Amino acid sequence: IWIFTGKGQDMVFTVYGDHWRKMRRIMTVPFFTNKVVQQNRLGWEDEIRRVVEDVRADPKAASEGIVLRRRLQLMMYNNLYRIMFDTRFESENDPLFLKLRALNGERSRLAQSFEYNYGDFIPILRPFLRGYLKICKEVKDRRIQLFKDHFVEERKKLASTKGATSQELKCAIDHILEAERKGEINEDNVLYIVENINVAAIETTLWSVEWGIAELVNHPRIQKKLRDEIDTVLGPGAQVVTEPDTHKLPYLQA
């Protein structure tokens, strides 16, 4: 983890103190307020609608079945990247999406797997981890370079050509880059914030959504109860559930 977070240049693993408080404040405004939810909900409602349309259009969905996780994963990346960079990936075969997904997956495996990192479990074996640590550094360097070249620098160029002001900020990275311009954080901090968000916000939510859907599939009675609530509150055969609707649906929330 120390390698992947640049020895604590991120927010999650930095040393508690003034720097952590500053990083937390900088991340709160573009990510963790009700205003952000209201500004971005139409984007993720659009992504959900696209998933439903794609599943309905796939003939295998009604016969032999599909691996829903792949399409949900694209949805989660698009939800996050629309909020963070005001961009999205067109399909599961988008080359940049595939590269990003592969590097993020490799980072997760290297950080969490006993197969790779037995030194966290058996400290006496840590001297034998040189090869593992070298791989970690290579993956970290490639991920940070990808974030920088394809997303952060692209957004900087866009801001410079449009002459963006604080009133015109559209996405999370603009707020973070504004903090960098003010000298509150440096370029490495910006890149490791992007690193944190990629790890914390995509796969974790994807696992929860996938688990929830799997449980509904395996428990038709519960699925019917949920459908009945939606029909009662939003009308029979309701096709779309929006962000404001969720507050009227306690069983769905539960």
Side-chain angles (χ1 to χ4, degrees):
I1 293 296
W2 202 236
I3 290 175
F4 288 122
T5 59
K7 297 181 179 179
Q9 295 189 75
D10 64 329
M11 186 197 81
V12 177
F13 289 97
T14 195
V15 175
Y16 178 74
D18 290 341
H19 177 67
W20 176 83
R21 280 187 285 272
K22 186 194 305 177
M23 294 280 275
R24 189 173 185 269
R25 176 179 54 77
I26 289 167
M27 289 183 72
T28 295
V29 173
F31 286 114
F32 305 119
T33 65
N34 189 55
K35 184 179 179 181
V36 174
V37 172
Q38 299 311 316
Q39 285 177 338
N40 290 281
R41 74 173 183 86
L42 295 179
W44 64 60
E45 286 168 9
D46 174 56
E47 293 299 334
I48 292 167
R49 177 183 56 78
R50 289 170 187 258
V51 171
V52 174
E53 288 176 356
D54 286 350
V55 171
R56 281 182 172 155
D58 190 336
K60 291 182 180 178
S63 54
E64 60 193 88
I66 60 172
V67 180
L68 191 58
R69 149 176 269 273
R70 293 171 189 161
R71 185 59 185 84
L72 290 174
Q73 188 175 47
L74 175 64
M75 179 191 77
M76 287 310 309
Y77 269 90
N78 280 340
N79 283 345
L80 177 63
Y81 274 70
R82 285 174 80 150
I83 294 170
M84 189 155 55
F85 295 112
D86 193 27
T87 191
R88 67 184 302 277
F89 306 101
E90 284 301 322
S91 75
E92 295 173 50
N93 299 315
D94 184 304
L96 183 56
F97 168 65
L98 291 173
K99 188 173 182 180
L100 181 63
R101 187 185 70 177
L103 283 171
N104 280 342
E106 191 65 10
R107 188 261 197 232
S108 294
R109 281 191 294 276
L110 288 167
Q112 299 170 18
S113 172
F114 177 80
E115 177 185 352
Y116 294 101
N117 186 14
Y118 46 80
D120 275 357
F121 304 92
I122 311 172
I124 198 172
L125 297 179
R126 283 179 186 167
F128 301 98
L129 287 174
R130 288 197 187 95
Y132 160 75
L133 296 175
K134 181 183 177 184
I135 294 171
C136 287
K137 186 177 184 308
E138 289 171 354
V139 170
K140 184 267 292 185
D141 289 343
R142 286 162 59 202
R143 285 180 75 240
I144 293 296
Q145 198 64 47
L146 186 145
F147 296 148
K148 182 178 180 179
D149 293 346
H150 291 279
F151 300 104
V152 175
E153 290 299 324
E154 288 298 313
R155 195 67 194 177
K156 282 183 179 179
K157 288 177 190 174
L158 186 64
S160 64
T161 56
K162 288 192 173 184
T165 66
S166 59
Q167 285 75 37
E168 297 169 333
L169 297 177
K170 287 184 177 180
C171 60
I173 197 67
D174 294 325
H175 291 273
I176 297 165
L177 291 173
E178 181 74 9
E180 182 191 355
R181 283 192 291 273
K182 290 177 180 176
E184 296 180 281
I185 55 175
N186 60 38
E187 184 183 48
D188 284 341
N189 295 145
V190 172
L191 293 169
Y192 285 105
I193 285 174
V194 175
E195 196 281 341
N196 278 176
I197 293 295
N198 269 264
V199 172
I202 298 178
E203 294 294 327
T204 49
T205 310
L206 172 62
W207 293 332
S208 298
V209 172
E210 184 181 33
W211 173 85
I213 291 173
E215 289 296 304
L216 287 174
V217 169
N218 287 320
H219 296 85
R221 182 181 63 82
I222 302 298
Q223 188 176 158
K224 182 181 183 305
K225 190 173 178 181
L226 177 57
R227 183 74 248 180
D228 288 344
E229 180 186 68
I230 293 172
D231 287 345
T232 301
V233 175
L234 304 183
Q239 300 295 313
V240 179
V241 177
T242 66
E243 182 72 28
D245 294 331
T246 60
H247 304 290
K248 311 171 199 170
L249 302 164
Y251 194 68
L252 173 63
Q253 289 275 37

